[in-house]
Amino acid sequence: MRIGFALPQFHRQAFEVARVAEFAREVERAGAASLWVGDRNLAAVRPSVGYGGQGTTIPPELNPAADPFVLLGVAAAATEHVLLGSHVLIAPLYPPVQLARALTTIDLISGGRLLAGFGIGWSPEEYEAAGRDFSRRGALLDELLDALQAVWTEDPAEYSGALLSVPRHHAPLKPARLPRPPVYLGALSERALLRVARRADGWLPLCVVPEYVDTDGLTAQRAQLDTWARAAGREPEDIDTVLRVNVSTGTGVRAVAEAIRTVHDRTGIEHVMVDTMYEVDTVEESLAYARELLALLPAE
């Protein structure tokens, strides 16, 4: 199995971002396979839609949020072999040229270790702040993927769509991994899973330990994804899976290790990323949690 961890980014750990390089180096030395960021441009005071698209509240742990691109760049410079991913960037919030430039830079610093994970988000206020239409977020993501493909693989590059456009421009700086970094997509709905099947290099599902570890659901979703991939002329094994494991408050390391083993045994998922922001408050505690979990789940 491959075990990855979220970088210190949210909640109280956001105030310790000066230790991100240290965290990245130490977790890599302990045997981690990957390091990850999430994305929260803002947490509205009176959200019209709540966390994950449910209700009208957002956990206060998401109020402080460090910049994901900066954190990935720091981690890229501080490490040698771990993969560096986003689970997920709310991609439609960003102009395609600026998003491509930031991710290209991170991929070059890391020597081609970037996993570009995207989603469409659930916060109308974040779209309002970015000047984007929340109701068109799926279509925006589709066009953004096309625009990124052009910027990453063409020189000169340009893109023209119904919602996004990139004027013809010089684009000689390309990612280290050619023809582009692998693109992973978060997906729960049928429409989102179909997008993964047709055009993504990987799928980014989610579980919460201990409340929500639905191995039957994960298996069914993956089976549907595989069916649609074949229908699109693709090989299902070419679509990777990285499962996000959110750890709830009061959940010990052994319970998380057991949940990860259960998911692996029942679904075959080999790569997980663990986020402890709800469980631990400091970078020191997060490091200790990661070391203990890696000792319980040694790489195979």
Side-chain angles (χ1 to χ4, degrees):
M1 292 186 65
R2 293 181 290 168
I3 311 297
F5 295 92
L7 288 165
Q9 182 181 8
F10 296 104
H11 196 27
R12 293 186 178 91
Q13 294 183 47
F15 299 96
E16 295 187 73
V17 289
R19 297 188 66 184
V20 165
E22 174 194 357
F23 179 90
R25 282 193 298 267
E26 293 302 314
V27 171
E28 181 179 62
R29 287 172 184 163
S34 53
L35 293 166
W36 299 80
V37 294
D39 200 5
R40 186 87 287 120
N41 277 258
L42 60 80
V45 172
R46 294 182 179 84
S48 55
V49 176
Y51 180 64
Q54 304 294 320
T56 55
T57 61
I58 299 174
E61 289 86 352
L62 296 178
N63 291 348
D67 184 88
F69 302 100
V70 174
L71 295 192
L72 282 178
V74 170
T79 57
E80 296 180 356
H81 57 79
V82 289
L83 296 170
L84 301 163
S86 51
H87 201 328
V88 292
L89 293 174
I90 307 168
L93 300 182
Y94 302 100
V97 171
Q98 284 77 10
L99 182 60
R101 181 180 63 187
L103 295 177
T104 295
T105 304
I106 292 164
D107 198 53
L108 287 168
I109 292 170
S110 69
R113 291 184 279 135
L114 176 68
L115 305 180
F118 300 146
I120 60 172
W122 43 261
S123 170
E125 287 80 13
E126 286 187 314
Y127 276 78
E128 178 185 354
R132 300 290 195 191
D133 184 350
F134 180 74
S135 69
R136 304 295 302 277
R137 60 196 186 279
L140 278 166
L141 177 58
D142 285 328
E143 290 201 10
L144 180 66
L145 293 175
D146 292 336
L148 288 174
Q149 179 73 16
V151 174
W152 274 335
T153 62
E154 300 171 13
D155 182 26
E158 64 182 328
Y159 174 76
S160 180
L163 302 174
L164 297 174
S165 63
V166 176
R168 189 167 178 81
H169 66 286
H170 297 291
L173 191 67
K174 299 302 183 187
R177 194 184 319 197
L178 299 177
R180 57 166 175 76
V183 171
Y184 287 54
L185 297 176
L188 292 174
S189 69
E190 286 194 357
R191 181 178 296 180
L193 280 170
L194 184 58
R195 183 183 291 115
V196 175
R198 288 175 172 173
R199 61 186 314 175
D201 302 297
W203 174 43
L204 300 173
L206 166 73
C207 74
V208 182
V209 179
E211 296 99 319
Y212 180 74
V213 184
D214 182 6
T215 55
D216 290 340
L218 288 168
T219 300
Q221 285 182 307
R222 182 67 214 207
Q224 181 63 78
L225 193 162
D226 290 352
T227 297
W228 283 331
R230 292 188 190 95
R234 304 186 64 198
E235 296 296 332
E237 56 266 27
D238 292 338
I239 303 174
D240 189 25
T241 300
V242 181
L243 174 69
R244 183 186 186 97
V245 179
N246 284 350
V247 179
S248 291
T249 302
T251 307
V253 179
R254 292 187 179 277
V256 175
E258 185 58 36
I260 291 172
R261 286 195 195 96
T262 298
V263 169
H264 174 261
D265 292 344
R266 295 180 181 177
T267 69
I269 292 174
E270 293 282 347
H271 193 173
V272 304
M273 64 84 65
V274 179
D275 190 340
T276 61
M277 72 169 168
Y278 297 105
E279 169 61 8
V280 300
D281 291 337
T282 69
V283 170
E284 200 62 43
E285 291 172 327
S286 187
L287 273 171
Y289 204 102
R291 289 184 180 118
E292 186 175 352
L293 186 59
L294 287 166
L296 291 170
L297 295 169
E300 297 177 358

